[in-house]
Amino acid sequence: MTTVPDIESVGVVGGSLGGLFQAVALTELGLDVTVWERSSGRPDDRGAGIVLQPSVAWFLNTFCGVDPDRISVPVTHRQFFSRDGRSHHTLMRQQMISWGALYASLRDRLDPARYHDGQQVTALALRPDGVDVHLGDTVHSVDLAIIADGSASRHRGLVAPDSAPRYAGYVAYRGVIGEADLSEDLGAVFRDRFSFYDGDRTQFLCYFIPGDSGTTTPGARRMNWVWYVRADAAGLDRITTDRDGTAHGLSLPPGLMAPRVHDELLERTRRLLPEPMRELVEHTREPFAQAILDGRVTRMRNDRMLLTGDAAFVVRPHTAASAEKAAADAITLFTALQQVPSLDGALRAWEKNRLAEGMALYRHGVGLGQRLGLGGPATPAAAAEPTD
């Protein structure tokens, strides 16, 4: 633990990955950290796979005492399919983790008394020596507030006005299948592989991730797939309107896809995907979907309020770097507060670093999408319920 000048307490708005990275790192500095999360209850795994990047692996090992090798699935090769189902591969070692395994590792490191779920921050107000955090009629005063409430942030505008993310013109269909539900032959096609199919203005990718409770035992893992498909604004509305006619805006959770949308997905699958990947989509009981967004900011700091994670830069998933970006935001703030003698100097140095890195990653993601033929001119993101 290190004494940090001019700061003792930190309030983190949002308790997903971005907020948890910050909370865990700043707790290690000996600061009094409180997290407020809008959603109630500990979330399910959400069925999402993540490429385990070096910053995240380092964070898990250093701050959480978790061996990343124990909660990730290794791949040895990248495998590339053609439309006729033939494939070739190249040697490239990587590790794959699930959103849930990463979330659990971070959440379990944090004192439960410091994490308050089901509590929505309604307002943030700067004062000369800190920030007042409003939860309804209750006000908590902290020395530093970190806004980590995701791509649909309610509070981004306090730091970076007019920086709302924009819809990039395509969606990601996603699915997860238990490894035991795959035939032996189908499972063998993808085992130890990070597999891709790049078609005409589309991309499909898949890999194994940990199963329930983070298990990496072969046979108990899960297959995670993602399929990027172009969709105009009307198409996005149709895809994210559930079976009961409720519009979800920018994403559709598992189990809610409207029958006609599911039928369209299966029909597209039969027309466009190579045979092994077609089988994965057809085996998926509850596919879900999310809009692909572009978001960038020119500021990440307003005095003692900071933006972090997707509340700042929203980068396209082709970069496989959203979690790494959030981890790096936390690592660099931890380092700056240790090494720079004044709080203002530390926050200025942190913002300069993270703005440069965030912009570079944002541009890289846009470039990757363009090379795949995905997305047209970005349009303002549809209204959606933000999540912390």
Side-chain angles (χ1 to χ4, degrees):
M1 294 185 179
T2 305
T3 301
V4 179
D6 304 322
I7 180 174
E8 294 180 358
S9 60
V10 180
V12 180
V13 182
S16 191
L17 297 186
L20 285 171
F21 279 124
Q22 292 285 358
V24 169
L26 296 179
T27 297
E28 289 295 310
L29 279 178
L31 298 174
D32 180 4
V33 180
T34 303
V35 179
W36 292 283
E37 162 60 37
R38 176 175 175 263
S39 303
S40 297
R42 194 167 176 126
D44 295 330
D45 196 324
R46 300 190 182 184
I50 298 173
V51 178
L52 181 62
Q53 300 285 14
S55 291
V56 177
W58 183 89
F59 193 103
L60 289 172
N61 187 62
T62 303
F63 290 114
C64 301
V66 173
D67 180 357
D69 291 341
R70 296 185 62 186
I71 59 169
S72 62
V73 176
V75 299
T76 57
H77 292 76
R78 287 200 168 189
Q79 179 171 231
F80 302 92
F81 281 86
S82 58
R83 178 64 183 87
D84 62 9
R86 291 182 294 180
S87 67
H88 69 278
H89 58 265
T90 60
L91 181 66
M92 186 170 183
R93 297 183 181 276
Q94 290 181 278
Q95 290 172 277
M96 309 307 193
I97 195 170
S98 67
W99 187 96
L102 180 54
Y103 174 89
S105 298
L106 296 169
R107 177 80 181 266
D108 291 347
R109 181 63 177 173
L110 197 64
D111 181 350
R114 296 296 178 184
Y115 190 103
H116 303 284
D117 59 0
Q119 296 196 24
Q120 180 175 315
V121 173
T122 53
L124 297 169
L126 282 168
R127 49 185 176 79
D129 58 348
V131 181
D132 287 335
V133 182
H134 294 254
L135 292 92
D137 296 330
T138 304
V139 180
H140 299 267
S141 295
V142 297
D143 297 325
L144 180 70
I146 297 178
I147 299 170
D149 55 346
S151 60
S153 173
R154 294 170 180 264
H155 307 286
R156 177 189 289 113
L158 297 172
V159 177
D162 303 321
S163 297
R166 301 171 72 85
Y167 177 50
Y170 59 108
V171 301
Y173 285 105
R174 305 191 68 141
V176 173
I177 313 167
E179 187 174 9
D181 294 330
L182 301 176
S183 69
E184 177 59 31
D185 288 345
L186 185 59
V189 170
F190 299 110
R191 199 161 296 140
D192 302 322
R193 303 287 188 263
F194 187 0
S195 300
F196 295 83
Y197 168 65
D198 294 342
D200 179 16
R201 297 182 296 177
T202 192
Q203 183 184 58
F204 188 102
L205 58 92
C206 60
Y207 49 87
F208 282 108
I209 60 173
D212 291 339
S213 303
T215 181
T216 59
T217 302
R221 303 172 301 183
R222 289 176 294 185
M223 166 58 68
N224 170 82
W225 61 263
V226 185
W227 188 10
Y228 299 108
V229 175
R230 287 166 59 97
D232 60 16
L236 173 63
D237 289 343
R238 185 178 68 257
I239 292 166
T240 57
T241 297
D242 68 22
R243 61 182 58 192
D244 296 321
T246 300
H248 292 257
L250 299 178
S251 64
L252 184 75
L256 298 181
M257 186 171 287
R260 65 189 178 104
V261 174
H262 195 191
D263 289 344
E264 291 171 3
L265 175 63
L266 294 177
E267 190 276 332
R268 183 182 288 116
T269 299
R270 289 187 286 269
R271 284 192 294 109
L272 301 178
L273 290 183
E275 176 66 20
M277 293 168 167
R278 177 184 64 78
E279 289 188 60
L280 293 182
V281 179
E282 292 178 341
H283 276 77
T284 303
R285 296 188 183 93
E286 297 184 340
F288 52 108
Q290 65 185 88
I292 304 304
L293 306 177
D294 291 321
R296 58 182 175 176
V297 295
T298 56
R299 297 179 62 189
M300 292 178 67
R301 177 198 175 199
N302 179 7
D303 197 3
R304 294 194 181 195
M305 288 193 294
L306 309 180
L307 295 177
T308 193
D310 288 349
F313 288 91
V314 183
V315 298
R316 299 196 190 185
H318 315 298
T319 63
S322 182
E324 183 178 45
K325 175 171 62 69
D329 285 350
I331 293 167
T332 52
L333 182 59
F334 174 90
T335 303
L337 291 173
Q338 279 189 311
Q339 297 181 350
V340 181
S342 73
L343 177 62
D344 183 67
L347 298 183
R348 281 191 286 108
W350 174 83
E351 182 188 37
K352 182 178 180 180
N353 174 280
R354 301 318 299 154
L355 281 174
E357 293 291 331
M359 183 56 71
L361 192 57
Y362 167 86
R363 289 172 174 161
H364 178 54
V366 171
L368 289 174
Q370 290 174 341
R371 284 195 286 276
L372 290 166
L374 290 165
T379 58
E385 279 295 305
T387 56
D388 293 352

